[in-house]
Amino acid sequence: MQFPALLVIALVIVTPLGAQTTARLTLGGTMGTALASDELGGPVSLGAGVPVTAALSLAHPIGTGYRALVEVRAGRGSLHADNNGESSSIPGLTTVGVMVLVDGPVTSRVRWELGAGLLNYRPAERSGVFGQGGPTPWILGGGLSWTRPLSGTLDLVANGRYDFHQFRSRQLDSRGYTQYQAVHRVGLGIGIERSF
Amino acid sequence: MRRIIPVAVLLGAACSDLISPTRVPPYEYRQFVSSGASGIDTLTFRWPRSFLPVRIWVADNEPLRQPILTAISRWQGALLFGEFRAELVSDSSRADVIVRNVPAPGGIGLSRIRLDALAPECIGATDIRTDGTLTQVILPMRVYIWPRFSPQNPNITTCYEITATHELGHVLGIISPNHSPDPGDVMFSNPVFNGLSDRDISTAEVVSHITPTLTPTGRR
Ligand SMILES: [Zn+2]
């Protein structure tokens, strides 16, 4: 399913935007484990580095204390290759994730969140593992958000997120690689949340 | 039990690793040169990661431009872990590799390695200049690709693609003058295969992870 379609479906779930709808915008970074690794005269691996990450989400109450969230999370950075200890970077890797999450209270200021969605890899150039384009795997994730009121409708928010997906590209397929590489990512962001 | 199965599936997915393919054996990529009384010296070359992307110059209005772009794309796509990347530059004085659509000059001298290709409609040559101690490649490398007969030959574009891919294989580090013994490889001495075979790819993978005896110098 394409991202715009998923986004439209997700937005329909949370609309109409009522009085308690909140929007959240955070900026931060994400660290992840390797996208691919192999043994070629020594260990070689490819990772997504630490991309700058922006996340925009809309939340709507779905029950006492619980909310449904639709989130778009975009990261921009470089691919980092490690060839037997010799490293290089390949600029221009964007990831765009769309997730539907549920969150609930832990304490008055801390909320948990859990959800699923899709993550699209958008390389600047078709080369290496992205020689035939970027994949769009399913993603599962969860985290914690901490908020502190700034004014009547505005909160400061800090968000920690863990997510997981399985990576394999068409280029890896065509070269005979099988199975998937489990990719674990941890992201931290800080921003604002506003109620409408 | 019903709860354990999905948890086990999830844990299995969370720990999975890619499984590498079985690779075909590479062909010879090294160059052997006589080193006086002491016998044979083995020369190997690959680009250090700090030199990536390799800067290639080819004139804007030359018919070789698109074939060179195709060749770059092929070798970049073959090496999955960022081992080789190249880009076209507009200033030849900054180039690591200069590509020209003219016959290679004669008289290459002692300190040059010349690697040829003789395709049906065109000819290629790559000149790699070394220092006297045979430890350094002095940049820029020079690639020549030119028509054997008429430049208007209907198959010339395909021939340029084959030969550009072949010559870029030499630039990458496949520097054996004996080439591949198999006509199914683009690195066959009289290349006819327009692409990269599994053997071309596995050879490039091996070359890209050696500890080379030659390192590039003289980048401008
Ligand atoms: Zn050759």
Side-chain angles (χ1 to χ4, degrees):
Chain A
M1 190 185 294
Q2 294 298 307
F3 275 104
L6 188 78
L7 193 57
V8 168
I9 291 168
L11 284 170
V12 167
I13 292 169
V14 296
T15 51
L17 299 179
Q20 292 160 305
T21 296
T22 55
R24 185 168 76 188
L25 177 67
T26 60
L27 277 174
T30 304
M31 284 175 68
T33 57
L35 301 178
S37 55
D38 205 337
E39 194 71 29
L40 292 165
V44 296
S45 67
L46 203 60
V50 186
V52 174
T53 308
L56 176 67
S57 62
L58 290 174
H60 193 74
I62 52 170
T64 312
Y66 296 97
R67 302 186 302 180
L69 286 85
V70 184
E71 179 192 81
V72 179
R73 185 173 284 251
R76 175 82 177 163
S78 301
L79 262 178
H80 284 264
D82 190 314
N83 285 278
N84 312 337
E86 202 180 353
S87 60
S88 58
S89 71
I90 303 155
L93 178 65
T94 302
T95 54
V96 181
V98 177
M99 288 181 80
V100 177
L101 303 112
V102 174
D103 83 352
V106 177
T107 67
S108 60
R109 288 192 177 176
V110 178
R111 298 180 73 83
W112 59 266
E113 60 196 22
L114 201 62
L118 290 168
L119 179 68
N120 182 227
Y121 281 88
R122 294 164 172 261
E125 60 182 53
R126 289 194 164 212
S127 69
V129 295
F130 297 120
Q132 296 179 51
T136 306
W138 284 98
I139 184 170
L140 297 171
L144 290 171
S145 288
W146 171 86
T147 52
R148 181 194 168 122
L150 293 175
S151 69
T153 57
L154 204 63
D155 290 347
L156 177 71
V157 59
N159 175 256
R161 169 71 58 82
Y162 160 81
D163 63 43
F164 155 76
H165 64 278
Q166 291 185 305
F167 182 87
R168 195 167 90 200
S169 65
R170 254 183 274 162
Q171 185 74 349
L172 286 165
D173 272 354
S174 69
R175 292 286 294 282
Y177 284 83
T178 53
Q179 301 290 351
Y180 291 88
Q181 184 70 44
V183 181
H184 304 270
R185 305 191 309 166
V186 176
L188 287 171
I190 190 159
I192 51 167
E193 190 170 277
R194 186 178 173 185
S195 305
F196 295 95
Chain B
M1 191 66 184
R2 278 184 196 163
R3 287 182 185 177
I4 292 171
I5 291 170
V7 170
V9 167
L10 205 59
L11 282 176
C15 299
S16 75
D17 282 327
L18 279 173
I19 295 178
S20 310
T22 307
R23 293 176 165 89
V24 297
Y27 44 74
E28 185 57 74
Y29 57 88
R30 299 165 296 179
Q31 169 121 204
F32 301 101
V33 294
S34 169
S35 59
S38 55
I40 298 292
D41 195 13
T42 305
L43 303 184
T44 55
F45 174 79
R46 72 164 170 82
W47 291 90
R49 310 297 179 232
S50 57
F51 273 69
L52 304 182
V54 174
R55 305 170 191 158
I56 300 179
W57 181 89
V58 55
D60 285 347
N61 55 354
E62 276 197 2
L64 289 178
R65 196 173 172 84
Q66 193 53 46
I68 287 289
L69 285 170
T70 301
I72 291 172
S73 163
R74 282 173 173 168
W75 288 111
Q76 283 188 165
L79 294 161
L80 301 177
F81 293 89
E83 297 95 326
F84 178 73
R85 290 170 50 239
E87 64 180 10
L88 293 190
V89 292
S90 56
D91 183 353
S92 64
S93 72
R94 288 183 62 246
D96 302 319
V97 181
I98 291 177
V99 182
R100 291 192 184 276
N101 189 211
V102 296
I108 57 167
L110 285 175
S111 59
R112 281 179 196 240
I113 298 168
R114 171 159 293 176
L115 299 152
D116 301 311
L118 194 62
E121 291 91 13
C122 62
I123 299 175
T126 297
D127 282 357
I128 300 172
R129 202 172 130 217
T130 56
D131 69 337
T133 59
L134 290 176
T135 55
Q136 293 188 316
V137 165
I138 300 163
L139 300 176
M141 294 183 183
R142 293 183 184 274
V143 171
Y144 304 92
I145 301 172
W146 68 100
R148 284 179 80 173
F149 311 109
S150 163
Q152 273 75 48
N153 188 306
N155 297 323
I156 199 71
T157 304
T158 305
C159 192
Y160 283 162
E161 267 182 21
I162 295 168
T163 307
T165 307
H166 179 106
E167 299 310 325
L168 217 59
H170 289 317
V171 166
L172 189 81
I174 303 173
I175 57 171
S176 168
N178 296 329
H179 293 87
S180 158
D182 191 325
D185 301 332
V186 81
M187 295 311 290
F188 186 60
S189 56
N190 300 340
V192 286
F193 178 62
N194 192 9
L196 296 179
S197 68
D198 289 346
R199 253 183 322 275
D200 290 317
I201 292 170
S202 67
T203 306
E205 281 181 328
V206 171
V207 168
S208 301
H209 293 95
I210 53 167
T211 302
T213 65
L214 292 164
T215 51
T217 185
R219 183 177 234 185
R220 298 159 298 173

